[in-house]
Amino acid sequence: MRLYTIHTGNFKLDGGAMFGVVPKVLWNSLNPADANNRCTWAMRCLLVEDGNRLILIDNGIGNKQDAKFFSHYDLHGEHSLESSLQQYGFHRNDITDVLLTHLHFDHCGGSIVREGDRLIPAFPNATYWSNASHWAWATQPNEREKASFLKENILPIQESGQLRMIPEENDYPFSEHMRIRFAHGHTRAMMLPFIIYQGKTIVFCADLLPSVAHIPLPYIMAYDVFPLTTLEEKKSFLQEALEKNYILFFEHDPQIECCTVKMTEKGIRADHFFSLHEI
């Protein structure tokens, strides 16, 4: 089994939205905002080579939207999904499974590419995985999340015939070394992969913990539809991560890829920082 970090580029989001009720005077030292109050965030995905399966967890924002859309998010950086796959000797055609933690555009936009007038799967040989609760939530969106669920990222997956649903069961065995848990605070039925690797448990934190800065309990995004649910989910998860020495893998932290946690006088906080290849 092997794991590969797949960088798909950086983008910017409003700092206030990313840190919720936490005042800017506190969060700005953690991720400084630009003149438009936007902070830089990574779109860091994970490729899991597990037996004869090559599983891609999330796939970034993609490139099929128009210039007006991208102007809101200031995509930047030298990385792309294609170049990151090529770095490890892989191509989109090699991917056997695309596991979508949830269907917000910055997590699933790379699922579909534009070919002329058609929208087709970017991974023609892959099975795409969601779950029925989240799929219904995303395809019949509430007004608060509507702008995050883009139909051109989602509906062509189903139309392709490549979509499958994961049962909404905690610790569902997705592959030999990966199980899935569910979280409901950020959005309905977000999936969190737990991966056993070299005797350690690595958790792909998705948007339960977008970055190291979100480890303190009050640091909850304004994007979360049920913030008090997120609070309870974070509290429970971080206690378990502390007790079982999990490695947290961050999708959006602009600098830090992984960390462990420790107990401090202020509560559970980050401990050691490292990259995936250092494990």
Side-chain angles (χ1 to χ4, degrees):
M1 183 186 188
R2 299 188 68 181
L3 303 182
Y4 309 91
T5 300
I6 302 297
H7 296 283
T8 68
N10 299 327
F11 72 143
K12 291 188 176 184
L13 291 173
D14 184 83
M18 286 298 290
F19 289 105
V21 299
V22 177
K24 184 176 181 179
V25 68
L26 296 180
W27 63 252
N28 197 54
S29 62
L30 304 173
N31 191 338
D34 65 15
N36 293 314
N37 208 49
R38 298 181 303 176
C39 305
T40 288
W41 304 95
M43 289 178 285
R44 183 182 295 109
C45 306
L46 185 60
L47 186 64
V48 181
E49 192 173 14
D50 193 358
N52 61 358
R53 297 172 74 177
L54 197 58
I55 304 163
L56 180 63
I57 303 174
D58 286 352
N59 52 52
I61 202 168
N63 59 12
K64 64 186 172 296
Q65 267 71 39
D66 59 23
K68 181 179 179 181
F69 174 85
F70 287 124
S71 70
H72 298 309
Y73 303 106
D74 187 20
L75 270 65
H76 59 284
E78 59 185 21
H79 299 291
S80 70
L81 176 59
E82 291 278 4
S83 65
S84 291
L85 289 173
Q86 289 172 5
Q87 176 185 348
Y88 301 114
F90 297 117
H91 185 272
R92 288 187 288 119
N93 294 355
D94 300 323
I95 305 300
T96 64
D97 300 85
V98 177
L99 176 60
L100 300 168
T101 62
H102 60 299
L103 296 167
H104 288 165
F105 65 81
D106 54 315
H107 294 257
C108 75
S111 298
I112 299 296
V113 294
R114 194 178 299 278
E115 189 177 88
D117 294 332
R118 297 191 306 147
L119 292 171
I120 62 172
F123 307 96
N125 300 316
T127 298
Y128 287 73
W129 296 94
S130 182
N131 66 78
S133 291
H134 185 66
W135 188 266
W137 186 263
T139 54
Q140 304 167 52
N142 60 75
E143 293 300 324
R144 195 170 186 271
E145 275 184 291
K146 190 173 183 179
S148 293
F149 292 126
L150 306 182
K151 63 179 187 233
E152 59 268 33
N153 288 337
I154 300 173
L155 298 183
I157 301 174
Q158 186 172 45
E159 292 162 3
S160 74
Q162 294 173 228
L163 176 66
R164 298 290 183 274
M165 299 300 181
I166 291 175
E168 199 173 326
E169 304 168 4
N170 268 334
D171 294 317
Y172 176 79
F174 182 74
S175 72
E176 184 179 355
H177 297 98
M178 187 189 309
R179 65 188 192 274
I180 305 298
R181 289 197 192 172
F182 292 81
H184 301 275
H186 177 62
T187 187
R188 177 68 57 81
M190 179 173 67
M191 299 191 290
L192 303 177
F194 284 58
I195 303 159
I196 305 301
Y197 179 65
Q198 296 187 5
K200 303 177 185 298
T201 299
I202 299 174
V203 184
F204 188 92
C205 292
D207 280 348
L208 176 63
L209 293 171
S211 74
V212 170
H214 290 84
I215 290 177
L217 293 177
Y219 286 64
I220 293 172
M221 294 186 289
Y223 296 117
D224 288 23
V225 290
F226 303 112
L228 293 182
T229 300
T230 296
L231 180 65
E232 292 305 314
E233 289 172 339
K234 279 178 61 174
K235 189 183 298 184
S236 173
F237 170 71
L238 286 169
Q239 184 62 40
E240 183 178 341
L242 176 69
E243 293 172 359
K244 297 186 178 182
N245 200 32
Y246 290 162
I247 293 171
L248 312 186
F249 182 95
F250 298 104
E251 190 162 10
H252 289 312
D253 195 289
Q255 302 293 335
I256 296 165
E257 198 167 297
C258 301
C259 84
T260 52
V261 295
K262 64 182 178 181
M263 180 60 76
T264 73
E265 61 182 15
K266 293 183 178 181
I268 296 174
R269 295 292 187 269
D271 191 7
H272 299 296
F273 301 131
F274 47 92
S275 298
L276 197 59
H277 72 266
E278 297 177 272
I279 298 174

